[in-house]
Amino acid sequence: MEEPWGNDTERPFEYVNNNEFHGELHIVARERPFVVLLIFLACASGALMRTILKDTNIPIIAIVYVIGIVFGLLGYFSLEFSVLTLSVADIGPVLFFHIFAPVVIFTAAFEMDFYAFQKTFWQVLVLSVPGFLLNCILIGWLTYKINKYNWSWDISMLFGIILSTTDPILSVASVKDIGISKIIINLIKGESLFNDATTVIAFEIYQDFLNRQHLDFAKEVVIKIILKCFASVVFGFLSSKIITYWLSHIFNDGLTEVLLSFSMTYIIFFTAEWLGMSGILSLTILGILLDSVSFSPGVDEFIFRFWAMLTFLAHCLIFIIFGIVIVEKTFEYITIRDLFYILTVYLALNLIRGLVILLLSPLLSRLGYGFNWRWGAVIVWSGIRGTSTLNMALGINKTTDVKEAKMHNMILLHAGTVSLMTLVINSTTVKKLVTTLGLCNITLPKRMAIYSAVQRIKEMQINAFSMLKLDRFLADANWNMTEEAIQIDYPYKFDTEEVSQVVRRLRCPDCNTDISYDTTPQQIADILEEARLRLLTAQIASYQKQYNAGMLNQDAAQTLIGAAESYIDVKGKFMNIHEVKTYWESKGLFVLCKKLLSDWVYNVKEEKSKPSRNKFLKICHFIVFTDEFEYASHIVTLLNIFPMIVNYLPACHDQLLQQLKISNYYFLGLYMLEALLKALAMGKTYIFYHWNQFDMLIIIIGLIDIFIIITFKSVHTSYHVVNTIRVFRIVRLIRILRLLKIVIPKLIYLLNKQINKQLTFRYDIAKGYVQGEEDKKYLIEQIAGHETISQEINKIMEKNKQDAMKELGLMQRDYPDIVTALKTKQAVQTVLNTASETLKVLISGGIVDKNEGAKIEKMILIKKKQLGTLPSTIAPPTAEELLRNISWLENEKKQIEFIQKKARVLCYDYGDVICEDGEMPQGIHLIISGMTKLYGSSPRYGIDEGVCEPRYPTRMPFTDYLVSGAIIGELNCLTKHEMEYTVTCETAVQTCFISMDDLFEAFDKFLECPSLEYKIWLKLALDITIKTFKENLAHQDWSYKMCTKFPNIYVMDVPTHSKCDIYDENMEDVILVYGSVQDCQVLQPYFAPCILPKTCHQVQGTAAVTKLLVVRTTASVKRRSSRRCSSICQYHSYIRRRATVGSSIKTDNEQQIPEDSESEGSTDRVQSSIAVSIL
């Protein structure tokens, strides 16, 4: 039959053979990239297993491994399926290693804590080097003695090397989330990481030893060890610095940072392996030195999730591939006898690992955190074989000899089956082992803490449940079913009898009240330890939050987080500023260098010389102190370098000997001329300058050099004479050091810049630590769960905070320009953060379109990025500037001028007392410079001592340190109450003093709305309110919330025995900031500071002075006018201060004062300025 296209040469298209398709029709092609299908089958298998087995103890990777074996069997018995499996079975070990090892190694190292690793480094090193070698030797020896495959000693040793390594991810996967100590996890992970590096090095060296293709084998081994053990560490360290520097120049671009971490991991690994170093060791060092704080705020969680996903996918592919490889390579060689050998190898492997740990335990117990037999048992049983074992088994499998191929395939079989058995047996039983050994026991205090947390969640659920019943859209919901569906069970079994052992609370049968007894010291210690751990976790969260908000720089955040984590495993130890100081005190070398250089350049024994009256000497003085003279001196020194270089070139030296002598005389003459001119210009002060002394030394050495050459010219040149001449030729080189006149000022500038950076680091650490202590303080009541524990922790934290505040004050005294610059940057950062939060609210509410919001966000980010361009030093504000920056005087020119006229500057020495507890206030002090210590009891906020003592029988002592910009005595002057604290000077102090008479004169003079007195009350009320909110609602971010409420707030006065309506439709929150009130309906008393409940609708003042801070609803703000000012500005305050206390005063003044738009705007400006100052 004739072909449709005629001859082959006439076909318009290439002829396609029917064998390339299934069936007669050309639809389903035979040739397709089935490897791509395998990759995504592995991913789908992993996802399916995670979906099905998520809540079980079955290892997902083991199931994926079995799936790979099933794929291999299908390919082995099915020709159609073999198309998929054969190409996979031939994967090269080098490709396998370079694809999967970087992901596993970097992820494991990145999850490690640097400071904990630092403490356990020597333990890790002992386990991963001598421990690994002992494992190899014992496994190799046992294999050589009992195996029936007739393996040689060399093959047995290679087999021992292959089976001695562990997987850093799989080994800790089963124990890291069950409450076991982080020390054990770090030991397991650290041993596995360095084990992998040691394994690859030992495997390569032993293979080279077996081949020995050249005579310089020993030299090659030494070079390899240097490259793989030492050069790899240096390369990893330098890589981490490069990446950190790169990341520091990427601003808030998460995608770029993820791509950088991913790409650089593979580039560094490939480069290290290509140059003969250890890619595993380089990536280990890189991952340990990088952490979540290395990346931009908010990107860390995405980074961890990204690498966790990659690691899981890598393990899915590794075990799918290896399941196929085992079947394709070893299935035809497997016999029944091999099953017995597989079991024997598995048991021997665990027994030998246990024996090695036992032998090393005496040494391990003396290193790091110590060691015990229970830790050893967990480390032995958690040794899962994974990526490195399988990769080396693939590497030894590549051979063309049939006899060797069978032997290598059996090694591959045992490596694969051991990996599978450790996954199936060890990883599923290690949790039971840890529980049996008591290493993750949930102590009673921990269960009580969980109990308290669940109770709090249930309380919030009940509140939400009650609120939802008021929702008209949910009125017909099935509330019985809802109540059943929201029940949350406790994660741990909780016996109420155990609680009674700790609380020991009984109920009196007569009066039906609780009687509480003291707990035992051991129970107190247990609860205190649990509270300590939870407070450290809260402290770390605070540091992370500060970093995310831009209030901590990267170095300070890393240091504080690392320091806090290092305290977790130190029982009974709280983090304190004295130990944190060691992180910056070790960096004081730059200060010493700067001092030495500055002393050399600038310090002289006499004052600078003045020009002489002699005309000639006056001309010399003019010449010497010109810039041109200095430049000429430097040029002469530079020109002198060339003949000195030629002098050391033998070929040129002999030919140009005479010219070199003349040039030596010439330059020495120029130096002498320079010295002579300086001596004439400066007179007797010449010799006191260090550089002039150095010039004289050069001249003296030069003259001695010439004298020796001329003297010994005619003498027989003996050996000693020649050596003497050579020595002085070398000494001539010190002339080059004259160039240090140019270099040293630059060095001092660079050192000063570095010192400023270190001081910034120091201040950031101290400031971050103080903020962390503040954040923890509001959580103590929730975490402690016991009054005794709460008091003990409060004492410890208060002392730690005092020490940190003192450190901050001393830094402000010693380095005011640096601290001022840092405070300026933090103020800018805080305001920009508020702008970002506001923009997010506007976008989420649909007020601003996403595209428009992106443009605004870009502008805010540009401003944040420009923070780095602000100067590192800013001159501290003067007394006048500080006065103008007071929140209740800002933008009020007349008030500022009045206070400036009345104010006096007072100076105090160290130890002087500014005011004492119990004395009447004389006025207010604005600190201009220096640091003061404020100590006394906790403030009473206008509550009578007779009322305060029963409520707070054990009032905590109060201590604080105040520095430049702080004000002393505001509240006491306003209320005319005696001082409740003593203020002493810790350094020399300058204050701007405003007497009480002058202050009240200002109150009477500036009565326009808002009055000066009102503005001071507003500032104090805001300060008290924010503290109250943080104490009562510590889990909420009140910094931003209060910014949104500032335009809606005012201070209300509640005179004694006068009634006042609150929580009407115009009030959102009411806070009692000073004094006390009583609920008129239920007669419940309330004492400042507290948030009045919304069930309270009318209160009566019960103190001499009572102040409420009212937060208006948003709707009422639109209708606001100067009537708000009427109730807050203390109108005609001088009349009211002289009026009889207790007279009936109408508190609702909203209709008494006419509206005044100008006053309204003034009030808003005041509140805005006070808002910034408070936050």
Side-chain angles (χ1 to χ4, degrees):
M1 182 177 179
E2 186 177 358
E3 295 183 2
W5 296 105
N7 297 329
D8 290 348
T9 56
E10 298 176 358
R11 296 175 185 174
F13 303 104
E14 182 181 355
Y15 179 70
V16 180
N17 195 333
N18 284 334
N19 292 331
E20 295 182 5
F21 293 89
H22 293 278
E24 295 182 357
L25 300 177
H26 294 181
I27 297 175
V28 182
R30 293 178 182 272
E31 296 294 333
R32 281 292 180 268
F34 289 105
V35 175
V36 177
L37 175 63
L38 176 70
I39 292 172
F40 291 101
L41 279 174
C43 298
S45 301
L48 179 63
M49 292 302 104
R50 282 181 68 89
T51 305
I52 298 173
L53 306 175
K54 187 175 182 180
D55 297 325
T56 66
N57 197 31
I58 301 173
I60 296 172
I61 298 300
I63 304 299
V64 173
Y65 200 169
V66 173
I67 293 173
I69 293 174
V70 172
F71 282 171
L73 290 172
L74 289 174
Y76 188 83
F77 291 106
S78 171
L79 183 62
E80 295 293 330
F81 211 81
S82 64
V83 177
L84 173 62
T85 59
L86 284 176
S87 58
V88 174
D90 290 329
I91 186 172
V94 177
L95 180 62
F96 184 91
F97 184 59
H98 280 72
I99 289 177
F100 299 116
V103 176
V104 175
I105 299 300
F106 179 78
T107 303
F110 186 57
E111 291 175 351
M112 286 190 70
D113 174 58
F114 172 74
Y115 293 94
F117 169 75
Q118 209 172 15
K119 189 77 179 286
T120 58
F121 171 74
W122 291 109
Q123 290 176 305
V124 168
L125 196 64
V126 168
L127 288 170
S128 58
V129 180
F132 166 78
L133 295 176
L134 282 172
N135 265 298
C136 295
I137 294 169
L138 291 175
I139 294 171
W141 175 82
L142 188 65
T143 304
Y144 179 71
K145 289 295 182 182
I146 68 172
N147 84 86
K148 302 299 181 182
Y149 301 122
N150 297 321
W151 289 353
S152 65
W153 169 254
D154 296 334
I155 295 298
S156 299
M157 278 301 299
L158 284 175
F159 185 66
I161 292 172
I162 291 171
L163 294 188
S164 295
T165 185
T166 55
D167 192 287
I169 296 293
L170 299 178
S171 295
V172 299
S174 302
V175 297
K176 67 179 181 179
D177 295 326
I178 62 176
I180 195 171
S181 172
K182 286 187 177 182
I183 300 174
I184 306 176
I185 294 174
N186 280 328
L187 281 175
I188 296 170
K189 190 176 289 186
E191 182 216 5
S192 299
L193 283 169
F194 286 87
N195 228 341
D196 289 352
T198 311
T199 302
V200 174
I201 296 169
F203 186 74
E204 290 184 9
I205 291 176
Y206 201 81
Q207 275 194 320
D208 292 342
F209 172 74
L210 297 180
N211 295 330
R212 281 197 296 272
Q213 297 179 355
H214 51 78
L215 299 176
D216 292 335
F217 172 71
K219 181 180 178 182
E220 180 183 348
V221 170
V222 172
I223 294 173
K224 272 195 172 184
I225 291 175
I226 292 173
L227 284 174
K228 292 186 177 294
C229 295
F230 301 104
S232 302
V233 173
V234 175
F235 182 66
F237 175 78
L238 295 176
S239 301
S240 70
K241 294 300 179 183
I242 292 171
I243 293 176
T244 304
Y245 179 78
W246 192 342
L247 288 170
S248 66
H249 288 75
I250 300 174
F251 192 77
N252 204 27
D253 190 349
L255 181 60
T256 303
E257 294 182 39
V258 170
L259 289 175
L260 176 62
S261 68
F262 178 68
S263 58
M264 290 304 292
T265 296
Y266 277 90
I267 291 171
I268 290 168
F269 183 84
F270 181 86
T271 305
E273 291 290 330
W274 183 39
L275 297 176
M277 295 181 286
S278 171
I280 292 178
L281 195 54
S282 295
L283 280 188
T284 299
I285 301 299
L286 173 68
I288 290 173
L289 293 177
L290 293 179
D291 56 16
S292 60
V293 184
S294 302
F295 299 87
S296 296
V299 181
D300 53 338
E301 185 177 354
F302 180 56
I303 289 282
F304 278 114
R305 288 181 177 275
F306 172 78
W307 282 103
M309 178 201 70
L310 281 184
T311 306
F312 180 73
L313 293 181
H315 276 123
C316 289
L317 286 170
I318 288 168
F319 287 97
I320 285 275
I321 291 171
F322 212 81
I324 294 171
V325 169
I326 284 182
V327 174
E328 291 289 343
K329 300 290 185 182
T330 66
F331 189 74
E332 58 181 314
Y333 303 111
I334 297 176
T335 62
I336 299 297
R337 187 179 63 175
D338 293 325
L339 299 179
F340 171 76
Y341 293 153
I342 289 170
L343 182 61
T344 304
V345 169
Y346 169 74
L347 293 175
L349 203 63
N350 287 290
L351 288 173
I352 290 172
R353 183 169 169 81
L355 179 61
V356 170
I357 296 294
L358 181 63
L359 291 173
L360 295 176
S361 58
L363 179 59
L364 293 171
S365 62
R366 289 169 172 78
L367 300 172
Y369 290 104
F371 199 77
N372 58 60
W373 68 271
R374 289 179 295 181
W375 290 13
V378 175
I379 291 173
V380 169
W381 201 246
S382 61
I384 311 298
R385 274 59 180 178
T387 308
S388 293
T389 300
L390 304 179
N391 177 72
M392 285 185 294
L394 275 178
I396 202 174
N397 183 257
K398 295 296 179 180
T399 182
T400 55
D401 187 88
V402 177
K403 185 178 179 180
E404 286 189 1
K406 181 179 179 180
M407 177 177 60
H408 293 167
N409 286 333
M410 296 313 297
I411 293 176
L412 186 67
L413 172 66
H414 284 291
T417 51
V418 162
S419 177
L420 179 60
M421 292 182 74
T422 54
L423 277 171
V424 173
I425 300 173
N426 293 43
S427 65
T428 55
T429 56
V430 69
K431 183 177 180 180
K432 181 66 176 176
L433 174 66
V434 170
T435 306
T436 304
L437 294 175
L439 291 174
C440 64
N441 286 343
I442 308 301
T443 60
L444 180 59
K446 186 177 289 187
R447 280 182 282 167
M448 288 186 64
I450 297 296
Y451 176 82
S452 299
V454 174
Q455 284 291 98
R456 184 172 180 81
I457 292 172
K458 287 187 174 183
E459 288 176 8
M460 296 303 294
Q461 281 185 320
I462 292 171
N463 294 339
F465 190 77
S466 302
M467 292 293 292
L468 286 175
K469 284 186 176 181
L470 303 176
D471 192 335
R472 57 177 180 153
F473 295 106
L474 301 177
D476 56 347
N478 191 326
W479 295 110
N480 293 328
M481 186 178 294
T482 304
E483 191 171 3
E484 292 176 2
I486 65 174
Q487 294 299 321
I488 297 177
D489 297 327
Y490 298 104
Y492 307 115
K493 293 181 180 179
F494 199 80
D495 190 356
T496 54
E497 293 183 2
E498 291 181 319
V499 184
S500 64
Q501 293 176 6
V502 176
V503 180
R504 299 183 68 179
R505 187 178 295 272
L506 302 175
R507 187 173 294 277
C508 177
D510 296 330
C511 60
N512 200 32
T513 58
D514 288 340
I515 305 173
S516 181
Y517 293 92
D518 293 333
T519 55
T520 64
Q522 183 58 45
Q523 290 170 341
I524 290 291
D526 292 340
I527 301 173
L528 179 62
E529 177 63 17
E530 183 60 33
R532 183 189 73 87
L533 293 175
R534 295 184 182 276
L535 285 172
L536 279 173
T537 304
Q539 206 164 9
I540 293 170
S542 172
Y543 300 148
Q544 190 72 51
K545 182 180 177 182
Q546 291 178 59
Y547 173 70
N548 291 338
M551 306 309 292
L552 272 182
N553 64 32
Q554 187 182 93
D555 293 336
Q558 284 177 328
T559 301
L560 286 169
I561 291 171
E565 288 179 343
S566 68
Y567 280 85
I568 289 176
D569 293 301
V570 184
K571 190 173 182 179
K573 192 78 172 176
F574 284 82
M575 186 176 172
N576 61 76
I577 193 65
H578 298 296
E579 296 187 10
V580 175
K581 281 170 65 176
T582 58
Y583 291 101
W584 73 64
E585 285 177 348
S586 61
K587 300 182 178 182
L589 181 62
F590 294 113
V591 178
L592 179 61
C593 292
K594 179 193 171 184
K595 185 177 183 303
L596 292 174
L597 292 175
S598 299
D599 289 345
W600 175 264
V601 175
Y602 302 115
N603 286 4
V604 294
K605 295 183 179 180
E606 297 286 343
E607 295 182 357
K608 289 186 178 180
S609 62
K610 296 180 180 179
S612 174
R613 294 181 180 180
N614 185 286
K615 188 175 181 180
F616 176 72
L617 296 180
K618 195 172 183 179
I619 294 172
C620 292
H621 187 278
F622 174 76
I623 294 172
V624 166
F625 287 97
T626 57
D627 292 336
E628 290 79 2
F629 184 83
E630 285 295 320
Y631 298 151
S633 176
H634 299 327
I635 292 171
V636 168
T637 306
L638 287 170
L639 293 174
N640 196 187
I641 292 175
F642 296 103
M644 286 191 288
I645 294 173
V646 173
N647 206 21
Y648 285 92
L649 300 176
C652 301
H653 177 268
D654 296 335
Q655 296 179 3
L656 304 174
L657 182 59
Q658 190 63 29
Q659 290 83 350
L660 290 174
K661 288 182 180 179
I662 295 171
S663 68
N664 184 34
Y665 300 154
Y666 173 74
F667 283 108
L668 183 60
L670 290 177
Y671 295 150
M672 293 174 67
L673 177 61
E674 178 189 358
L676 179 61
L677 287 173
K678 286 184 177 180
L680 292 172
M682 302 172 70
K684 60 182 181 180
T685 62
Y686 169 80
I687 198 63
F688 295 131
Y689 284 81
H690 297 302
W691 281 119
N692 295 342
Q693 295 169 6
F694 183 68
D695 289 342
M696 288 298 297
L697 177 65
I698 291 175
I699 292 170
I700 292 170
I701 292 174
L703 291 174
I704 295 173
D705 180 24
I706 294 173
F707 174 76
I708 289 174
I709 293 174
I710 295 174
T711 303
F712 293 103
K713 183 177 180 182
S714 57
V715 182
H716 179 69
T717 54
S718 64
Y719 174 78
H720 297 291
V721 172
V722 172
N723 279 347
T724 303
I725 294 173
R726 286 177 178 173
V727 167
F728 274 92
R729 282 174 55 192
I730 295 172
V731 173
R732 289 180 195 171
L733 294 175
I734 67 171
R735 298 178 185 180
I736 300 175
L737 298 180
R738 284 167 51 90
L739 294 175
L740 291 177
K741 291 182 182 180
I742 307 173
V743 176
I744 287 180
K746 301 294 182 183
L747 285 176
I748 292 174
Y749 171 77
L750 294 175
L751 286 172
N752 199 49
K753 191 175 180 180
Q754 190 65 30
I755 290 168
N756 289 346
K757 186 178 178 181
Q758 287 183 0
L759 291 172
T760 301
F761 170 73
R762 174 180 171 182
Y763 185 85
D764 272 344
I765 286 181
K767 179 69 166 57
Y769 177 81
V770 170
Q771 186 60 51
E773 294 296 300
E774 287 282 350
D775 293 342
K776 284 196 307 180
K777 183 177 71 174
Y778 304 121
L779 302 172
I780 292 176
E781 294 296 333
Q782 300 177 29
I783 291 176
H786 196 283
E787 186 178 354
T788 306
I789 302 299
S790 178
Q791 291 176 2
E792 183 66 24
I793 293 176
N794 264 315
K795 289 179 183 177
I796 295 171
M797 288 181 55
E798 188 62 30
K799 184 180 183 305
N800 291 341
K801 180 188 168 186
Q802 291 170 19
D803 294 340
M805 289 295 295
K806 184 176 182 180
E807 191 66 34
L808 282 173
L810 292 174
M811 278 189 274
Q812 178 147 358
R813 178 200 67 180
D814 297 334
Y815 314 103
D817 50 348
I818 294 174
V819 173
T820 302
L822 288 171
K823 289 182 176 181
T824 304
K825 290 180 182 179
Q826 289 185 356
V828 175
Q829 183 72 54
T830 302
V831 176
L832 290 176
N833 288 342
T834 305
S836 296
E837 290 294 327
T838 305
L839 180 61
K840 289 178 184 178
V841 172
L842 294 175
I843 293 174
S844 62
I847 300 173
V848 175
D849 183 72
K850 286 186 177 180
N851 294 330
E852 298 169 350
K855 295 178 181 178
I856 301 174
E857 180 67 20
K858 187 176 180 181
M859 295 169 61
I860 297 174
L861 288 177
I862 290 172
K863 291 294 182 182
K864 287 185 177 181
K865 197 170 183 179
Q866 289 174 351
L867 275 174
T869 62
L870 292 179
S872 59
T873 57
I874 298 176
T878 62
E880 292 183 0
E881 291 172 336
L882 286 172
L883 202 60
R884 286 198 297 269
N885 291 335
I886 295 177
S887 57
W888 37 268
L889 286 179
E890 193 171 8
N891 299 324
E892 298 292 342
K893 188 176 179 180
K894 293 181 179 178
Q895 296 178 13
I896 293 172
E897 290 176 353
F898 178 84
I899 296 294
Q900 280 181 339
K901 291 178 182 178
K902 299 291 184 178
R904 291 176 292 153
V905 176
L906 303 181
C907 298
Y908 298 90
D909 290 330
Y910 169 76
D912 287 352
V913 177
I914 297 179
C915 59
E916 289 190 27
D917 186 6
E919 71 177 15
M920 291 303 295
Q922 302 299 315
I924 63 174
H925 294 264
L926 170 64
I927 301 177
I928 301 172
S929 63
M931 181 176 67
T932 61
K933 181 180 180 180
L934 184 151
Y935 58 92
S937 57
S938 301
R940 293 196 296 265
Y941 296 106
I943 305 173
D944 292 337
E945 190 171 353
V947 178
C948 188
E949 290 299 330
R951 295 182 66 240
Y952 305 105
T954 56
R955 293 175 68 193
M956 293 291 294
F958 176 76
T959 305
D960 200 359
Y961 290 89
L962 305 178
V963 293
S964 175
I967 300 177
I968 302 170
E970 283 175 305
L971 184 58
N972 301 90
C973 286
L974 282 176
T975 59
K976 293 185 177 181
H977 282 179
E978 65 274 4
M979 303 296 292
E980 296 178 342
Y981 48 80
T982 299
V983 180
T984 59
C985 298
E986 291 289 301
T987 64
V989 175
Q990 264 193 335
T991 68
C992 179
F993 177 70
I994 306 168
S995 69
M996 195 180 227
D997 294 335
D998 294 334
L999 188 64
F1000 276 81
E1001 184 183 347
F1003 290 166
D1004 295 337
K1005 182 173 183 178
F1006 300 105
L1007 296 173
E1008 65 274 9
C1009 182
S1011 69
L1012 180 61
E1013 183 181 359
Y1014 163 71
K1015 289 188 290 184
I1016 299 179
W1017 269 116
L1018 178 61
K1019 181 253 186 182
L1020 295 171
L1022 284 172
D1023 192 12
I1024 297 170
T1025 298
I1026 291 176
K1027 291 179 181 178
T1028 306
F1029 274 136
K1030 287 182 177 180
E1031 288 176 1
N1032 292 275
L1033 302 167
H1035 58 283
Q1036 299 185 21
D1037 183 11
W1038 281 102
S1039 297
Y1040 174 72
K1041 288 187 177 181
M1042 288 305 296
C1043 286
T1044 62
K1045 294 176 183 291
F1046 276 132
N1048 313 339
I1049 60 177
Y1050 63 93
V1051 177
M1052 177 186 291
D1053 183 27
V1054 184
T1056 308
H1057 305 307
S1058 296
K1059 295 182 180 180
C1060 175
D1061 294 332
I1062 60 172
Y1063 285 120
D1064 56 13
E1065 70 277 3
N1066 297 327
M1067 298 184 184
E1068 183 177 343
D1069 289 298
V1070 179
I1071 302 91
L1072 176 61
V1073 294
Y1074 194 84
S1076 59
V1077 296
Q1078 186 181 52
D1079 189 336
C1080 294
Q1081 294 178 345
V1082 297
L1083 303 180
Q1084 170 70 36
Y1086 296 100
F1087 302 93
C1090 74
I1091 304 172
L1092 295 180
K1094 296 190 177 181
T1095 56
C1096 180
H1097 296 288
Q1098 190 179 55
V1099 293
Q1100 178 178 330
T1102 57
V1105 179
T1106 300
K1107 300 290 180 180
L1108 301 178
L1109 185 134
V1110 178
V1111 181
R1112 298 164 65 91
T1113 58
T1114 307
S1116 65
V1117 175
K1118 297 178 180 178
R1119 302 189 301 270
R1120 69 187 177 182
S1121 65
S1122 60
R1123 60 186 179 178
R1124 175 182 67 180
C1125 188
S1126 65
S1127 63
I1128 61 179
C1129 71
Q1130 322 287 324
Y1131 188 69
H1132 294 299
S1133 57
Y1134 70 99
I1135 297 177
R1136 192 179 68 249
R1137 284 197 301 273
R1138 292 165 174 78
T1140 304
V1141 177
S1143 59
S1144 178
I1145 299 176
K1146 185 177 180 180
T1147 57
D1148 187 3
N1149 297 323
E1150 293 185 350
Q1151 298 178 1
Q1152 295 180 13
I1153 307 295
E1155 296 185 355
D1156 187 348
S1157 59
E1158 183 179 353
S1159 298
E1160 174 70 20
S1162 177
T1163 304
D1164 289 341
R1165 288 194 300 272
V1166 169
Q1167 294 185 176
S1168 299
S1169 64
I1170 293 177
V1172 175
S1173 68
I1174 293 294
L1175 288 182

